[in-house]
Amino acid sequence: MATLKELVIKKRKGESGVWCASVISSSVWGICISYLIGKILPNGFYKAFIDIKPKQLVYSVEPVPFVVGNPVVSVDNEELKPDDQLIQTVEGETVKLNMSSFRTNEPVSLKFDLDRTKLTPYLGAMGHVVILDENAQKYLHVHPSNGEEPIFETKFSNPGLYKIWADFKQDGKIRTFSYVVAIAEEK
């Protein structure tokens, strides 16, 4: 399995606000991946999650820390707080998240209420969900349980706060809806 050795972030010459991230791997294949970020990243400490599942190899996503610019050592991040309501509106589209459980070690259904007349497949599915724990250590990428509905199945193994990002393609445009939930210890 490939091990990541270096993540290089640099501004591409002549391209305002576009960053290029190259992941250098020391594997038999010598993989180099570039990804363009269409937004300016402010100075700071970041973690990248490279989510690629090679055929017939072990799938594991680990955070890759990187630094942009010269950030101050003492970072005062905004505290993550659970949402009071799991409803988000992005560019005039509203999506509600319904969860079957907020407990550890229980199967959890993530059902999204949205205008399905505008929903079309994106990367071969009716949506994609990424979940990250509050410490940015536990990463989950969840696909729909079937090909027709925006319903996802997962399980949380540890209590704590989690941020959920759901991507849907509506009217030809990909929108991301984010939610913060608190997961409690199983009863």
Side-chain angles (χ1 to χ4, degrees):
M1 186 165 112
T3 57
L4 298 177
K5 291 293 182 189
E6 183 180 351
L7 179 65
V8 180
I9 303 290
K10 61 183 178 185
K11 197 167 193 176
R12 293 182 76 186
K13 195 172 186 174
E15 292 188 28
S16 174
V18 177
W19 293 81
C20 178
S22 297
V23 179
I24 311 301
S25 172
S26 66
S27 68
V28 176
W29 306 284
I31 297 170
C32 180
I33 301 166
S34 291
Y35 178 74
L36 296 179
I37 302 169
K39 297 182 182 192
I40 295 173
L41 292 175
N43 289 350
F45 299 93
Y46 296 87
K47 291 182 182 180
F49 293 85
I50 313 303
D51 189 355
I52 300 170
K53 184 180 185 312
K55 289 183 179 180
Q56 300 175 346
L57 292 176
V58 175
Y59 175 70
S60 176
V61 179
E62 301 294 329
V64 179
F66 67 94
V67 178
V68 172
N70 297 309
V72 178
V73 175
S74 64
V75 178
D76 193 19
N77 287 331
E78 202 174 300
E79 185 179 334
L80 199 59
K81 296 178 184 170
D83 292 330
D84 293 328
Q85 294 184 15
L86 299 178
I87 300 173
Q88 295 292 326
T89 301
V90 175
E91 298 174 349
E93 296 293 334
T94 300
V95 175
K96 180 180 180 187
L97 168 60
N98 298 297
M99 292 180 56
S100 63
S101 173
F102 290 88
R103 300 245 177 232
T104 60
N105 300 315
E106 293 181 2
V108 178
S109 290
L110 308 172
K111 296 180 182 179
F112 293 89
D113 291 336
L114 65 150
D115 184 349
R116 292 188 189 186
T117 63
K118 298 179 179 184
L119 188 62
T120 56
Y122 163 55
L123 297 175
M126 286 305 211
H128 294 268
V129 169
V130 171
I131 304 170
L132 191 60
D133 75 332
E134 62 190 307
N135 299 316
Q137 293 299 315
K138 181 68 176 166
Y139 171 93
L140 299 168
H141 183 161
V142 188
H143 289 105
S145 353
N146 68 52
E148 302 298 319
E149 299 179 279
I151 300 173
F152 302 76
E153 304 290 332
T154 193
K155 185 186 283 190
F156 295 94
S157 54
N158 297 311
L161 296 178
Y162 290 83
K163 187 145 186 185
I164 300 171
W165 289 272
D167 289 339
F168 299 106
K169 188 173 182 180
Q170 301 163 308
D171 281 339
K173 184 163 186 180
I174 299 160
R175 293 180 181 84
T176 302
F177 300 85
S178 62
Y179 310 87
V180 177
V181 299
I183 302 299
E185 194 71 51
E186 64 186 311
K187 287 184 179 181

